[in-house]
Amino acid sequence: MDLAIDIGGTKTFVATFDEESLVPHEIFQFLTESHRGFEDFLRRLTETGKKLLVGDQPNLWCISTAGVVDDDGNVLWSPNLGWKNLPLKQAVSRFFGDKGFVENDCNAAAYAEAWVRGSKNLAYVTVSTGIGMGLVLEGKVYRGSHYAAGEIGHTIVDEEGPVCSCGRKGCLQAISSGRGLENLIQSITGERLRCEDIFERARTGLEPYFQVVFRGAKVLARFLTNIVDALDIEVLVLGGGLTRNEFYRNVLVEYVQRNYYATPSKKISVELPQVQPNPGAVGVLLLSRQRFGGTV
Ligand SMILES: [Zn+2]
């Protein structure tokens, strides 16, 4: 059995796969609760893995996780999980052996979505509490010089914009993400609403909800259009909870389709994720099988 794990800010997904399959044999999810400390998380993770493996060692194991991950499987920086310079691969190897691989979750998801479509140049953006991106360029995951390619949440898109959690002004995340929209509405109306409720009011045209959501989606759309043009991307995949909202997604898709720079024969497809049940876990499984010479 292969063991694939996806560590998210809220939930951790653990699944076993038969060695040539991309359909999970068995799945278990638990709350990440990283505030309980890494040792506590590691204990819950490895106990879950062992239960699914029924006491056997995995053929290989792999993890997709939020955060900046280096070639040795260290999580250099993950504000969502509160991890810094954490030797994740080394820690998990103690339980499941040396045949392991760790990758950033957006990179892994991008790879899975590119693989399933046979696409060479694809961007996977995830919009939820924060905003992240994974890139596949020329058929390969693009990690950048500091393993931080695709860390777009804190790129400044409006110098006069709202103050961000990082202390700077006008980050993409402060204007377009779930947390950003909630904060903006609170600063205008004084009420703390959940993102779903803000979307519901925006959908009916009610102000200031409509303007805040419309602007958030448009600012992100403009940013993504620039990425798609700069890198000549063919498929843009919209992941994360916010893009499941029709109003928000429609603003994004329409803006990109109307505004990308249309050179002759250029066509851009904006799509929802296709890989089930977890693009990050499936992507890192594909990457690790290639690394260790398995069948994909
Ligand atoms: Zn920021």
Side-chain angles (χ1 to χ4, degrees), residues 202-231:
R203 197 179 54 82
T204 64
L206 193 65
E207 297 296 359
Y209 312 95
F210 179 87
Q211 264 316 313
V212 167
V213 173
F214 185 74
R215 175 168 176 254
K218 212 171 111 178
V219 166
L220 175 61
R222 189 186 304 130
F223 183 91
L224 293 174
T225 305
N226 291 343
I227 295 270
V228 154
D229 278 336
L231 299 173

Side-chain angles (χ1 to χ4, degrees), residues 154 164 166 171:
H154 297 284
C164 179
C166 71
C171 291

